[in-house]
Amino acid sequence: MKRPIKVFEPIPKQLIKSLHFQGRKHGFSQDEVYRLAADLTGIPSLTALSKQEELFMIGKMTGQTVRTGPLPPPRENEVEGGETLPSHYHVMDIRLMFRDLGWSKEEIKGWLEKWIKVEDFRTMDRKQAQKAYYALGKIVERKKGGAEEQDNG
């Protein structure tokens, strides 16, 4: 029997509002909240956070966490609708590829809307995340190939 995969459980919109609220309440500017997200995920996007990462960020802002990182992601059989949620590892790699490309959150959102046909990370299903993963991998490869040509040229 195949072992259930770890899934990316997206952050609901109300929890994004909670992040902003807790940040203001505890003296964090909006830029600092986005910097915390970037430190955790590689990109300054709150919609790219999982529920576990969001809870860790709130704990960090309020000083109520003793953990050094977020709780592990759930497996697909532990979450309602888990069989359609993106793989945790695909989302992690997608975020790192966006970071490596140096794209802003506006560029990321625009690319996701244009090429993957999703509003943001929260609305991606498993197939869309796989599509984004492979497409971004090709973009990163081309970028690295172009950089190598410039170095050799």
PDB file of all heavy atoms in Angstrom, residues 45-79:
ATOM      1  N   SER A  45       5.578  36.361   0.603  1.00  0.00           N
ATOM      2  CA  SER A  45       4.170  36.189   0.240  1.00  0.00           C
ATOM      3  C   SER A  45       3.448  35.468   1.368  1.00  0.00           C
ATOM      4  O   SER A  45       3.841  34.366   1.751  1.00  0.00           O
ATOM      5  CB  SER A  45       4.068  35.370  -1.052  1.00  0.00           C
ATOM      6  OG  SER A  45       2.727  35.016  -1.301  1.00  0.00           O
ATOM      7  N   LEU A  46       2.389  36.091   1.874  1.00  0.00           N
ATOM      8  CA  LEU A  46       1.624  35.452   2.946  1.00  0.00           C
ATOM      9  C   LEU A  46       0.729  34.355   2.395  1.00  0.00           C
ATOM     10  O   LEU A  46       0.441  33.379   3.087  1.00  0.00           O
ATOM     11  CB  LEU A  46       0.797  36.499   3.706  1.00  0.00           C
ATOM     12  CG  LEU A  46       1.593  37.608   4.402  1.00  0.00           C
ATOM     13  CD1 LEU A  46       0.658  38.535   5.165  1.00  0.00           C
ATOM     14  CD2 LEU A  46       2.666  37.053   5.303  1.00  0.00           C
ATOM     15  N   THR A  47       0.298  34.471   1.134  1.00  0.00           N
ATOM     16  CA  THR A  47      -0.550  33.424   0.554  1.00  0.00           C
ATOM     17  C   THR A  47       0.242  32.157   0.270  1.00  0.00           C
ATOM     18  O   THR A  47      -0.342  31.113   0.015  1.00  0.00           O
ATOM     19  CB  THR A  47      -1.238  33.892  -0.739  1.00  0.00           C
ATOM     20  OG1 THR A  47      -0.253  34.209  -1.713  1.00  0.00           O
ATOM     21  CG2 THR A  47      -2.147  35.089  -0.492  1.00  0.00           C
ATOM     22  N   ALA A  48       1.567  32.230   0.321  1.00  0.00           N
ATOM     23  CA  ALA A  48       2.407  31.052   0.093  1.00  0.00           C
ATOM     24  C   ALA A  48       2.664  30.284   1.382  1.00  0.00           C
ATOM     25  O   ALA A  48       3.354  29.265   1.365  1.00  0.00           O
ATOM     26  CB  ALA A  48       3.736  31.476  -0.534  1.00  0.00           C
ATOM     27  N   LEU A  49       2.102  30.744   2.493  1.00  0.00           N
ATOM     28  CA  LEU A  49       2.278  30.072   3.778  1.00  0.00           C
ATOM     29  C   LEU A  49       1.295  28.924   3.945  1.00  0.00           C
ATOM     30  O   LEU A  49       0.161  28.992   3.469  1.00  0.00           O
ATOM     31  CB  LEU A  49       2.043  31.050   4.933  1.00  0.00           C
ATOM     32  CG  LEU A  49       3.035  32.180   5.133  1.00  0.00           C
ATOM     33  CD1 LEU A  49       2.480  33.191   6.122  1.00  0.00           C
ATOM     34  CD2 LEU A  49       4.363  31.640   5.613  1.00  0.00           C
ATOM     35  N   SER A  50       1.729  27.898   4.643  1.00  0.00           N
ATOM     36  CA  SER A  50       0.812  26.835   5.045  1.00  0.00           C
ATOM     37  C   SER A  50       0.192  27.233   6.389  1.00  0.00           C
ATOM     38  O   SER A  50       0.667  28.164   7.048  1.00  0.00           O
ATOM     39  CB  SER A  50       1.567  25.517   5.198  1.00  0.00           C
ATOM     40  OG  SER A  50       2.437  25.581   6.313  1.00  0.00           O
ATOM     41  N   LYS A  51      -0.847  26.511   6.794  1.00  0.00           N
ATOM     42  CA  LYS A  51      -1.450  26.775   8.104  1.00  0.00           C
ATOM     43  C   LYS A  51      -0.418  26.627   9.217  1.00  0.00           C
ATOM     44  O   LYS A  51      -0.364  27.419  10.149  1.00  0.00           O
ATOM     45  CB  LYS A  51      -2.605  25.806   8.369  1.00  0.00           C
ATOM     46  CG  LYS A  51      -3.897  26.170   7.734  1.00  0.00           C
ATOM     47  CD  LYS A  51      -4.980  25.199   8.184  1.00  0.00           C
ATOM     48  CE  LYS A  51      -6.288  25.462   7.510  1.00  0.00           C
ATOM     49  NZ  LYS A  51      -7.314  24.487   7.916  1.00  0.00           N
ATOM     50  N   GLN A  52       0.424  25.600   9.114  1.00  0.00           N
ATOM     51  CA  GLN A  52       1.423  25.347  10.145  1.00  0.00           C
ATOM     52  C   GLN A  52       2.441  26.492  10.213  1.00  0.00           C
ATOM     53  O   GLN A  52       2.854  26.900  11.300  1.00  0.00           O
ATOM     54  CB  GLN A  52       2.139  24.022   9.873  1.00  0.00           C
ATOM     55  CG  GLN A  52       1.258  22.802   9.939  1.00  0.00           C
ATOM     56  CD  GLN A  52       0.387  22.602   8.689  1.00  0.00           C
ATOM     57  OE1 GLN A  52       0.652  23.137   7.627  1.00  0.00           O
ATOM     58  NE2 GLN A  52      -0.664  21.827   8.834  1.00  0.00           N
ATOM     59  N   GLU A  53       2.832  27.018   9.056  1.00  0.00           N
ATOM     60  CA  GLU A  53       3.787  28.132   9.017  1.00  0.00           C
ATOM     61  C   GLU A  53       3.157  29.404   9.569  1.00  0.00           C
ATOM     62  O   GLU A  53       3.812  30.178  10.272  1.00  0.00           O
ATOM     63  CB  GLU A  53       4.279  28.346   7.580  1.00  0.00           C
ATOM     64  CG  GLU A  53       5.140  27.201   7.090  1.00  0.00           C
ATOM     65  CD  GLU A  53       5.315  27.162   5.588  1.00  0.00           C
ATOM     66  OE1 GLU A  53       4.463  27.685   4.837  1.00  0.00           O
ATOM     67  OE2 GLU A  53       6.327  26.580   5.142  1.00  0.00           O
ATOM     68  N   GLU A  54       1.884  29.612   9.276  1.00  0.00           N
ATOM     69  CA  GLU A  54       1.184  30.795   9.785  1.00  0.00           C
ATOM     70  C   GLU A  54       1.118  30.760  11.304  1.00  0.00           C
ATOM     71  O   GLU A  54       1.390  31.755  11.970  1.00  0.00           O
ATOM     72  CB  GLU A  54      -0.221  30.863   9.169  1.00  0.00           C
ATOM     73  CG  GLU A  54      -1.034  32.059   9.609  1.00  0.00           C
ATOM     74  CD  GLU A  54      -1.862  31.811  10.851  1.00  0.00           C
ATOM     75  OE1 GLU A  54      -2.090  30.645  11.219  1.00  0.00           O
ATOM     76  OE2 GLU A  54      -2.274  32.803  11.481  1.00  0.00           O
ATOM     77  N   LEU A  55       0.767  29.610  11.857  1.00  0.00           N
ATOM     78  CA  LEU A  55       0.690  29.496  13.314  1.00  0.00           C
ATOM     79  C   LEU A  55       2.061  29.711  13.960  1.00  0.00           C
ATOM     80  O   LEU A  55       2.175  30.343  15.013  1.00  0.00           O
ATOM     81  CB  LEU A  55       0.126  28.132  13.706  1.00  0.00           C
ATOM     82  CG  LEU A  55      -1.345  27.919  13.352  1.00  0.00           C
ATOM     83  CD1 LEU A  55      -1.749  26.467  13.586  1.00  0.00           C
ATOM     84  CD2 LEU A  55      -2.232  28.866  14.136  1.00  0.00           C
ATOM     85  N   PHE A  56       3.103  29.222  13.310  1.00  0.00           N
ATOM     86  CA  PHE A  56       4.460  29.431  13.812  1.00  0.00           C
ATOM     87  C   PHE A  56       4.817  30.923  13.788  1.00  0.00           C
ATOM     88  O   PHE A  56       5.391  31.447  14.742  1.00  0.00           O
ATOM     89  CB  PHE A  56       5.463  28.631  12.980  1.00  0.00           C
ATOM     90  CG  PHE A  56       6.891  28.878  13.366  1.00  0.00           C
ATOM     91  CD1 PHE A  56       7.406  28.357  14.543  1.00  0.00           C
ATOM     92  CD2 PHE A  56       7.724  29.646  12.560  1.00  0.00           C
ATOM     93  CE1 PHE A  56       8.723  28.590  14.909  1.00  0.00           C
ATOM     94  CE2 PHE A  56       9.031  29.882  12.921  1.00  0.00           C
ATOM     95  CZ  PHE A  56       9.539  29.360  14.100  1.00  0.00           C
ATOM     96  N   MET A  57       4.452  31.615  12.694  1.00  0.00           N
ATOM     97  CA  MET A  57       4.743  33.049  12.601  1.00  0.00           C
ATOM     98  C   MET A  57       4.032  33.835  13.695  1.00  0.00           C
ATOM     99  O   MET A  57       4.620  34.728  14.299  1.00  0.00           O
ATOM    100  CB  MET A  57       4.335  33.600  11.228  1.00  0.00           C
ATOM    101  CG  MET A  57       5.416  33.480  10.192  1.00  0.00           C
ATOM    102  SD  MET A  57       4.973  34.261   8.625  1.00  0.00           S
ATOM    103  CE  MET A  57       4.790  35.981   9.074  1.00  0.00           C
ATOM    104  N   ILE A  58       2.766  33.508  13.954  1.00  0.00           N
ATOM    105  CA  ILE A  58       2.028  34.206  15.012  1.00  0.00           C
ATOM    106  C   ILE A  58       2.700  33.939  16.359  1.00  0.00           C
ATOM    107  O   ILE A  58       2.891  34.864  17.155  1.00  0.00           O
ATOM    108  CB  ILE A  58       0.535  33.811  15.022  1.00  0.00           C
ATOM    109  CG1 ILE A  58      -0.152  34.472  13.830  1.00  0.00           C
ATOM    110  CG2 ILE A  58      -0.132  34.225  16.330  1.00  0.00           C
ATOM    111  CD1 ILE A  58      -1.627  34.213  13.706  1.00  0.00           C
ATOM    112  N   GLY A  59       3.089  32.713  16.601  1.00  0.00           N
ATOM    113  CA  GLY A  59       3.795  32.395  17.840  1.00  0.00           C
ATOM    114  C   GLY A  59       5.087  33.173  17.969  1.00  0.00           C
ATOM    115  O   GLY A  59       5.452  33.645  19.046  1.00  0.00           O
ATOM    116  N   LYS A  60       5.789  33.326  16.861  1.00  0.00           N
ATOM    117  CA  LYS A  60       7.051  34.061  16.861  1.00  0.00           C
ATOM    118  C   LYS A  60       6.811  35.552  17.144  1.00  0.00           C
ATOM    119  O   LYS A  60       7.543  36.174  17.915  1.00  0.00           O
ATOM    120  CB  LYS A  60       7.734  33.878  15.506  1.00  0.00           C
ATOM    121  CG  LYS A  60       9.196  34.148  15.515  1.00  0.00           C
ATOM    122  CD  LYS A  60       9.849  33.617  14.261  1.00  0.00           C
ATOM    123  CE  LYS A  60      11.323  33.897  14.360  1.00  0.00           C
ATOM    124  NZ  LYS A  60      12.120  33.099  13.515  1.00  0.00           N
ATOM    125  N   MET A  61       5.771  36.115  16.534  1.00  0.00           N
ATOM    126  CA  MET A  61       5.471  37.538  16.744  1.00  0.00           C
ATOM    127  C   MET A  61       4.995  37.816  18.160  1.00  0.00           C
ATOM    128  O   MET A  61       5.302  38.855  18.725  1.00  0.00           O
ATOM    129  CB  MET A  61       4.407  38.020  15.738  1.00  0.00           C
ATOM    130  CG  MET A  61       4.929  38.137  14.333  1.00  0.00           C
ATOM    131  SD  MET A  61       3.768  38.915  13.184  1.00  0.00           S
ATOM    132  CE  MET A  61       2.547  37.647  12.952  1.00  0.00           C
ATOM    133  N   THR A  62       4.250  36.874  18.735  1.00  0.00           N
ATOM    134  CA  THR A  62       3.706  37.081  20.078  1.00  0.00           C
ATOM    135  C   THR A  62       4.642  36.591  21.173  1.00  0.00           C
ATOM    136  O   THR A  62       4.381  36.798  22.349  1.00  0.00           O
ATOM    137  CB  THR A  62       2.345  36.356  20.227  1.00  0.00           C
ATOM    138  OG1 THR A  62       2.540  34.950  20.041  1.00  0.00           O
ATOM    139  CG2 THR A  62       1.316  36.884  19.249  1.00  0.00           C
ATOM    140  N   GLY A  63       5.733  35.931  20.785  1.00  0.00           N
ATOM    141  CA  GLY A  63       6.671  35.403  21.761  1.00  0.00           C
ATOM    142  C   GLY A  63       6.154  34.167  22.477  1.00  0.00           C
ATOM    143  O   GLY A  63       6.628  33.819  23.554  1.00  0.00           O
ATOM    144  N   GLN A  64       5.175  33.489  21.868  1.00  0.00           N
ATOM    145  CA  GLN A  64       4.554  32.340  22.521  1.00  0.00           C
ATOM    146  C   GLN A  64       4.995  31.005  21.935  1.00  0.00           C
ATOM    147  O   GLN A  64       4.328  30.003  22.145  1.00  0.00           O
ATOM    148  CB  GLN A  64       3.036  32.452  22.422  1.00  0.00           C
ATOM    149  CG  GLN A  64       2.479  33.645  23.159  1.00  0.00           C
ATOM    150  CD  GLN A  64       0.975  33.759  22.984  1.00  0.00           C
ATOM    151  OE1 GLN A  64       0.381  33.084  22.170  1.00  0.00           O
ATOM    152  NE2 GLN A  64       0.372  34.634  23.761  1.00  0.00           N
ATOM    153  N   THR A  65       6.088  30.974  21.208  1.00  0.00           N
ATOM    154  CA  THR A  65       6.532  29.700  20.653  1.00  0.00           C
ATOM    155  C   THR A  65       7.882  29.307  21.233  1.00  0.00           C
ATOM    156  O   THR A  65       8.718  30.153  21.506  1.00  0.00           O
ATOM    157  CB  THR A  65       6.615  29.737  19.110  1.00  0.00           C
ATOM    158  OG1 THR A  65       6.875  28.422  18.643  1.00  0.00           O
ATOM    159  CG2 THR A  65       7.707  30.661  18.604  1.00  0.00           C
ATOM    160  N   VAL A  66       8.034  28.032  21.450  1.00  0.00           N
ATOM    161  CA  VAL A  66       9.325  27.512  21.891  1.00  0.00           C
ATOM    162  C   VAL A  66       9.931  26.658  20.787  1.00  0.00           C
ATOM    163  O   VAL A  66      11.048  26.169  20.910  1.00  0.00           O
ATOM    164  CB  VAL A  66       9.198  26.683  23.193  1.00  0.00           C
ATOM    165  CG1 VAL A  66       8.808  27.578  24.355  1.00  0.00           C
ATOM    166  CG2 VAL A  66       8.220  25.543  23.034  1.00  0.00           C
ATOM    167  N   ARG A  67       9.173  26.485  19.716  1.00  0.00           N
ATOM    168  CA  ARG A  67       9.631  25.684  18.577  1.00  0.00           C
ATOM    169  C   ARG A  67      10.631  26.475  17.748  1.00  0.00           C
ATOM    170  O   ARG A  67      10.591  27.692  17.711  1.00  0.00           O
ATOM    171  CB  ARG A  67       8.452  25.282  17.693  1.00  0.00           C
ATOM    172  CG  ARG A  67       7.437  24.395  18.404  1.00  0.00           C
ATOM    173  CD  ARG A  67       6.344  23.941  17.451  1.00  0.00           C
ATOM    174  NE  ARG A  67       6.874  23.155  16.348  1.00  0.00           N
ATOM    175  CZ  ARG A  67       7.106  21.850  16.389  1.00  0.00           C
ATOM    176  NH1 ARG A  67       6.859  21.183  17.495  1.00  0.00           N
ATOM    177  NH2 ARG A  67       7.565  21.211  15.348  1.00  0.00           N
ATOM    178  N   THR A  68      11.491  25.770  17.043  1.00  0.00           N
ATOM    179  CA  THR A  68      12.440  26.428  16.149  1.00  0.00           C
ATOM    180  C   THR A  68      11.914  26.486  14.726  1.00  0.00           C
ATOM    181  O   THR A  68      12.524  27.115  13.869  1.00  0.00           O
ATOM    182  CB  THR A  68      13.792  25.684  16.152  1.00  0.00           C
ATOM    183  OG1 THR A  68      13.567  24.330  15.783  1.00  0.00           O
ATOM    184  CG2 THR A  68      14.445  25.760  17.521  1.00  0.00           C
ATOM    185  N   GLY A  69      10.780  25.835  14.496  1.00  0.00           N
ATOM    186  CA  GLY A  69      10.168  25.832  13.179  1.00  0.00           C
ATOM    187  C   GLY A  69       8.724  25.406  13.279  1.00  0.00           C
ATOM    188  O   GLY A  69       8.256  25.001  14.348  1.00  0.00           O
ATOM    189  N   PRO A  70       7.994  25.506  12.166  1.00  0.00           N
ATOM    190  CA  PRO A  70       6.577  25.119  12.190  1.00  0.00           C
ATOM    191  C   PRO A  70       6.382  23.619  12.401  1.00  0.00           C
ATOM    192  O   PRO A  70       7.307  22.831  12.211  1.00  0.00           O
ATOM    193  CB  PRO A  70       6.073  25.531  10.810  1.00  0.00           C
ATOM    194  CG  PRO A  70       7.255  25.828   9.989  1.00  0.00           C
ATOM    195  CD  PRO A  70       8.437  25.983  10.875  1.00  0.00           C
ATOM    196  N   LEU A  71       5.177  23.265  12.781  1.00  0.00           N
ATOM    197  CA  LEU A  71       4.821  21.850  12.893  1.00  0.00           C
ATOM    198  C   LEU A  71       4.956  21.195  11.525  1.00  0.00           C
ATOM    199  O   LEU A  71       4.819  21.856  10.496  1.00  0.00           O
ATOM    200  CB  LEU A  71       3.377  21.703  13.388  1.00  0.00           C
ATOM    201  CG  LEU A  71       3.126  22.111  14.833  1.00  0.00           C
ATOM    202  CD1 LEU A  71       1.624  22.144  15.122  1.00  0.00           C
ATOM    203  CD2 LEU A  71       3.820  21.143  15.788  1.00  0.00           C
ATOM    204  N   PRO A  72       5.191  19.897  11.470  1.00  0.00           N
ATOM    205  CA  PRO A  72       5.305  19.223  10.176  1.00  0.00           C
ATOM    206  C   PRO A  72       3.972  19.251   9.432  1.00  0.00           C
ATOM    207  O   PRO A  72       2.910  19.319  10.058  1.00  0.00           O
ATOM    208  CB  PRO A  72       5.712  17.797  10.531  1.00  0.00           C
ATOM    209  CG  PRO A  72       5.452  17.639  11.974  1.00  0.00           C
ATOM    210  CD  PRO A  72       5.396  18.989  12.596  1.00  0.00           C
ATOM    211  N   PRO A  73       4.028  19.169   8.102  1.00  0.00           N
ATOM    212  CA  PRO A  73       2.785  19.189   7.332  1.00  0.00           C
ATOM    213  C   PRO A  73       2.005  17.894   7.538  1.00  0.00           C
ATOM    214  O   PRO A  73       2.592  16.842   7.824  1.00  0.00           O
ATOM    215  CB  PRO A  73       3.265  19.298   5.881  1.00  0.00           C
ATOM    216  CG  PRO A  73       4.642  18.739   5.895  1.00  0.00           C
ATOM    217  CD  PRO A  73       5.209  19.061   7.243  1.00  0.00           C
ATOM    218  N   PRO A  74       0.676  17.984   7.387  1.00  0.00           N
ATOM    219  CA  PRO A  74      -0.129  16.768   7.537  1.00  0.00           C
ATOM    220  C   PRO A  74       0.003  15.876   6.302  1.00  0.00           C
ATOM    221  O   PRO A  74       0.469  16.304   5.247  1.00  0.00           O
ATOM    222  CB  PRO A  74      -1.551  17.315   7.648  1.00  0.00           C
ATOM    223  CG  PRO A  74      -1.516  18.588   6.871  1.00  0.00           C
ATOM    224  CD  PRO A  74      -0.143  19.147   7.099  1.00  0.00           C
ATOM    225  N   ARG A  75      -0.405  14.647   6.445  1.00  0.00           N
ATOM    226  CA  ARG A  75      -0.466  13.723   5.303  1.00  0.00           C
ATOM    227  C   ARG A  75      -1.859  13.843   4.677  1.00  0.00           C
ATOM    228  O   ARG A  75      -2.807  14.274   5.336  1.00  0.00           O
ATOM    229  CB  ARG A  75      -0.180  12.292   5.751  1.00  0.00           C
ATOM    230  CG  ARG A  75       1.245  12.166   6.273  1.00  0.00           C
ATOM    231  CD  ARG A  75       1.720  10.738   6.262  1.00  0.00           C
ATOM    232  NE  ARG A  75       3.103  10.663   6.720  1.00  0.00           N
ATOM    233  CZ  ARG A  75       4.162  10.754   5.926  1.00  0.00           C
ATOM    234  NH1 ARG A  75       4.004  10.913   4.634  1.00  0.00           N
ATOM    235  NH2 ARG A  75       5.387  10.685   6.424  1.00  0.00           N
ATOM    236  N   GLU A  76      -1.954  13.457   3.430  1.00  0.00           N
ATOM    237  CA  GLU A  76      -3.195  13.639   2.686  1.00  0.00           C
ATOM    238  C   GLU A  76      -4.400  12.954   3.334  1.00  0.00           C
ATOM    239  O   GLU A  76      -5.525  13.420   3.192  1.00  0.00           O
ATOM    240  CB  GLU A  76      -3.032  13.189   1.237  1.00  0.00           C
ATOM    241  CG  GLU A  76      -2.716  11.729   1.063  1.00  0.00           C
ATOM    242  CD  GLU A  76      -2.373  11.353  -0.365  1.00  0.00           C
ATOM    243  OE1 GLU A  76      -2.796  12.051  -1.300  1.00  0.00           O
ATOM    244  OE2 GLU A  76      -1.687  10.336  -0.539  1.00  0.00           O
ATOM    245  N   ASN A  77      -4.186  11.874   4.071  1.00  0.00           N
ATOM    246  CA  ASN A  77      -5.294  11.173   4.723  1.00  0.00           C
ATOM    247  C   ASN A  77      -5.683  11.799   6.065  1.00  0.00           C
ATOM    248  O   ASN A  77      -6.628  11.358   6.697  1.00  0.00           O
ATOM    249  CB  ASN A  77      -4.967   9.689   4.902  1.00  0.00           C
ATOM    250  CG  ASN A  77      -3.763   9.453   5.786  1.00  0.00           C
ATOM    251  OD1 ASN A  77      -2.884  10.318   5.912  1.00  0.00           O
ATOM    252  ND2 ASN A  77      -3.701   8.293   6.404  1.00  0.00           N
ATOM    253  N   GLU A  78      -4.967  12.828   6.496  1.00  0.00           N
ATOM    254  CA  GLU A  78      -5.247  13.483   7.777  1.00  0.00           C
ATOM    255  C   GLU A  78      -6.024  14.784   7.616  1.00  0.00           C
ATOM    256  O   GLU A  78      -6.396  15.406   8.600  1.00  0.00           O
ATOM    257  CB  GLU A  78      -3.929  13.785   8.502  1.00  0.00           C
ATOM    258  CG  GLU A  78      -3.118  12.563   8.819  1.00  0.00           C
ATOM    259  CD  GLU A  78      -1.720  12.872   9.330  1.00  0.00           C
ATOM    260  OE1 GLU A  78      -1.195  13.980   9.063  1.00  0.00           O
ATOM    261  OE2 GLU A  78      -1.151  11.981   9.981  1.00  0.00           O
ATOM    262  N   VAL A  79      -6.260  15.196   6.361  1.00  0.00           N
ATOM    263  CA  VAL A  79      -6.902  16.473   6.084  1.00  0.00           C
ATOM    264  C   VAL A  79      -8.079  16.252   5.140  1.00  0.00           C
ATOM    265  O   VAL A  79      -7.957  15.500   4.170  1.00  0.00           O
ATOM    266  CB  VAL A  79      -5.903  17.440   5.405  1.00  0.00           C
ATOM    267  CG1 VAL A  79      -6.536  18.777   5.113  1.00  0.00           C
ATOM    268  CG2 VAL A  79      -4.656  17.606   6.238  1.00  0.00           C
TER     269      VAL A  79
END
